Amino acid sequence: MRFRELVFGAAVAAALRAAARLGIADALGDTPLSAEDLAAAVKAEPKSLRRLLRALSCHGVFTERPDGTFAHTDMSRLLREDDPHSLRAIALWCTEPWTWDAWPKLDEAVRSGRNVVEDLYGKEFFVYLNEDAPESADVFNRAMTTSSTQSARDVAEFLDLSGSSSVADIGGGQGHVVASLLEKHPALQGTLLDLPRVVENADPRLRPGGALADRTRVVPGDCREAVPVRADVYVIKNILEWDDDSTARLLRNVIGAGGPGTRVVVIENLVDDSPSMRFSTAMDLLLLLNVGGAKHTTESMTSRLSAAGLVIDDVRPVNAYLHAFDCHVPG
């Protein structure tokens, strides 16, 4: 029966996506509601909604009470927009339309060792997202913002930048990590570098008029092409998961921009040292499908950083899910 449940994994993913898009978790407050009342709130057909809720309840997402009403669980609250630990954007990102095109071709990706998205859409993944699927690109940005926001405080707490005057967050999304670092270190100058579409929605604290704007540069650009930023410390978080060539180019660009003695801190999830192996290994396969990339083991991350010319000084956990590789540019 466990095997039968596994092969219906797509049904669970689809049910979570449907709940997120319908806004069921937001419509349900602290008071349990009937399927009929919830259906009226989210404009759905009551009998179909009850079927969806029962399917999700089997997995601990919502719970059905003896009187037939439905109530929140710890997991269903993660689908709320206003929950401080919300994973709604992550749920949508992992079930976007392109994923349903790509997953059936996993065997092809395993045979070839390369992504399938370019064959599906005729374009590199992020080019496809930004040119042909802007709504999906927005979901990606929101998901990365959620992830970054939730880990930014941990990164700021972990990193000691007391001897540095400047920090650059490379591929830093909307800048939550660099914002947290600037708040921790009042004398620090910061730079955020990411794609134009991403940084135009940078954290309000970093934009003109924001509390940290006078200490921040927001630079639009592709870090795989160039890193036009000079800093004492470069932070590279959760982006060295592309193909090896893209990873090598980014690291080469950072080393060239910083020069000898520069500190480079790479922060990543690891698939050989994580309490969430099912999630990490699934994301690893998704990276194979979309960009031909991979989540790293400690050994693979170490070898790539060393091959790029960095000297690794320390490897330590940031929190239960992230590890930091503290490096410097020799010279």
Side-chain angles (χ1 to χ4, degrees):
M1 186 51 66
R2 176 60 181 149
F3 186 86
R4 293 173 187 268
E5 292 171 356
L6 285 172
V7 297
F8 263 114
V12 180
L16 285 165
R17 180 175 179 81
R21 285 171 60 84
L22 286 166
I24 298 170
D26 295 298
L28 180 60
D30 294 330
T31 302
L33 291 176
S34 67
E36 290 73 20
D37 288 337
L38 275 171
V42 302
K43 298 180 173 57
E45 199 281 319
K47 290 182 180 178
S48 299
L49 184 63
R50 179 179 290 277
R51 292 164 67 180
L52 175 64
L53 288 167
R54 280 179 170 165
L56 287 167
S57 295
C58 292
H59 297 278
V61 183
F62 303 107
T63 182
E64 185 173 9
R65 293 157 56 91
D67 63 359
T69 59
F70 290 88
H72 268 302
T73 62
D74 289 344
M75 280 209 289
S76 65
R77 290 185 186 279
L78 297 177
L79 285 171
R80 290 184 62 92
E81 286 275 15
D82 61 359
D83 190 275
H85 305 292
S86 176
L87 294 178
R88 182 179 184 275
I90 300 292
L92 291 172
W93 169 240
C94 293
T95 57
E96 279 294 281
W98 66 267
T99 67
W100 303 94
D101 292 337
W103 279 121
K105 297 182 178 294
L106 181 57
D107 59 322
E108 296 178 21
V110 170
R111 284 194 182 97
S112 68
R114 58 182 297 273
N115 77 75
V116 301
V117 163
E118 289 184 44
D119 290 337
L120 279 170
Y121 304 120
K123 297 179 179 180
E124 182 197 33
F125 178 64
F126 284 105
V127 174
Y128 161 74
L129 274 191
N130 286 288
E131 291 183 354
D132 300 341
E135 290 184 4
S136 193
D138 287 340
V139 170
F140 171 76
N141 292 334
R142 291 199 302 273
M144 295 305 101
T145 296
T146 295
S147 178
S148 183
T149 300
Q150 293 171 354
S151 61
R153 289 194 187 95
D154 291 337
V155 172
E157 181 67 25
F158 170 84
L159 281 182
D160 180 7
L161 300 184
S162 54
S164 305
S165 62
S166 59
V167 61
D169 192 0
I170 305 302
Q174 295 178 334
H176 297 285
V177 169
V178 73
S180 293
L181 289 170
L182 292 177
E183 287 182 335
K184 180 182 177 183
H185 300 280
L188 198 65
Q189 298 289 317
T191 302
L192 170 65
L193 171 67
D194 212 317
L195 297 172
R197 181 184 176 87
V198 178
V199 297
E200 70 184 14
N201 294 310
D203 188 305
R205 290 172 291 177
L206 306 178
R207 285 184 270 162
L212 303 171
D214 62 339
R215 293 194 283 134
T216 306
R217 285 180 62 209
V218 177
V219 179
D222 186 341
C223 54
R224 295 171 298 177
E225 301 301 323
V227 176
V229 176
R230 177 72 182 92
D232 295 337
V233 182
Y234 292 84
V235 176
I236 306 171
K237 178 176 173 290
N238 281 135
I239 60 171
L240 293 186
E241 300 166 342
W242 303 311
D243 59 277
D244 288 350
D245 178 63
S246 294
T247 294
R249 280 189 285 139
L250 183 152
L251 292 173
R252 187 164 58 244
N253 291 338
V254 167
I255 290 170
T262 302
R263 184 181 178 189
V264 179
V265 182
V266 175
I267 300 172
E268 289 286 339
N269 304 105
L270 299 174
V271 291
D272 64 337
D273 189 7
S274 169
S276 57
M277 288 293 286
R278 291 179 182 176
F279 175 74
S280 296
T281 54
M283 285 298 298
D284 182 48
L285 293 178
L286 193 62
L287 286 165
L288 171 61
L289 289 172
N290 63 6
V291 295
K295 289 283 185 184
H296 287 286
T297 62
T298 305
E299 181 182 0
S300 69
M301 190 75 262
T302 299
S303 66
R304 280 161 178 76
L305 296 175
S306 298
L310 290 167
V311 176
I312 302 170
D313 301 309
D314 192 20
V315 180
R316 284 191 295 148
V318 176
N319 57 24
Y321 306 98
L322 294 170
H323 279 71
F325 294 74
D326 210 332
C327 315
H328 73 270
V329 180

